[in-house]
Amino acid sequence: MLVIVLENAPPRLRGRLAIWLLEIRAGVYVGNYSSKVRQYVWDQVEAGIADGNAVMAWRTSNEAGFDFVTIGQNRRIPAELDGAKLVSFKPEV
């Protein structure tokens, strides 16, 4: 399972993702692809995100059962603690 969530993304990127993934809500895309296709799709997100932000999560065989990557400005940022990937919050400005 692959999930991508976009915020403030250009319409061109949203249309591009709709080619490979099903948009189940505005900015929320799901699908089930190999790691090679997943990386290709994420490369498209990185190239087209502009001033927006995105997170991609997928199922994998680790302690949590999933992994994720992010791009763009967001208050939530990935943090690793003792080998576990968690989410940290930046302080409000």
Side-chain angles (χ1 to χ4, degrees), residues 12-73:
R12 179 181 169 102
L13 176 59
R14 293 182 64 181
R16 188 97 169 129
L17 288 181
I19 293 171
W20 299 291
L21 304 166
L22 179 62
E23 187 174 13
I24 58 171
R25 294 270 184 177
V28 180
Y29 299 85
V30 297
N32 193 17
Y33 291 102
S34 68
S35 60
K36 185 176 181 178
V37 174
R38 181 181 68 231
Q39 186 58 53
Y40 177 78
V41 170
W42 187 246
D43 291 343
Q44 298 297 308
V45 171
E46 288 180 325
I49 196 64
D51 293 331
N53 66 72
V55 61
M56 178 175 68
W58 64 93
R59 183 177 51 185
T60 190
S61 58
N62 62 12
E63 287 281 329
F66 67 93
D67 201 358
F68 67 96
V69 293
T70 64
I71 189 170
Q73 294 294 321

